[in-house]
Amino acid sequence: MSLIDDLIKYKQEVDVRFHMPGHKGNTFEFDELERLREHLFSIDVTEVEGTDNLHVPNGIIKNAQDRAKEFYGAEHSFFFS
């Protein structure tokens, strides 16, 4: 399962959010890849249960970093904000 799939799953399980970012899942016109465009703002979440932690990843972010590492043939891959 990809990071996007995992975040879409989180979005489907959680109806109301009171954390950052402030747009709370609302969308506006955004030209990107269709799948990302469809879900981008509704899956933009912070470190809450079910979404992993960027600074100490051990779930969906860690899996995405491992896939990036393999794709680029690197020893390590780290995401940052």
Side-chain angles (χ1 to χ4, degrees):
M1 190 173 276
S2 73
L3 179 61
I4 292 173
D5 290 329
D6 288 328
L7 289 171
I8 291 169
K9 180 180 176 205
Y10 172 79
K11 175 194 78 166
Q12 293 168 339
E13 294 173 354
V14 177
D15 291 336
V16 179
R17 294 181 276 170
F18 296 100
H19 56 74
M20 293 300 288
H23 56 72
K24 302 298 180 229
N26 297 323
T27 62
F28 58 89
E29 188 60 34
F30 190 83
D31 293 323
E32 269 293 351
L33 300 171
E34 186 58 35
R35 188 159 165 244
L36 185 57
R37 179 183 162 197
E38 180 180 348
H39 296 284
L40 179 64
F41 296 102
S42 65
I43 62 175
D44 184 9
V45 296
T46 190
E47 292 91 352
V48 294
E49 187 174 335
T51 64
D52 208 358
N53 185 304
L54 183 61
H55 302 289
V56 187
N58 61 17
I60 62 176
I61 294 174
K62 176 76 169 105
N63 293 338
Q65 289 177 334
D66 289 344
R67 286 193 309 276
K69 172 182 74 170
E70 291 172 17
F71 179 82
Y72 291 107
E75 289 184 36
H76 305 282
S77 175
F78 302 99
F79 298 162
F80 64 94
S81 62

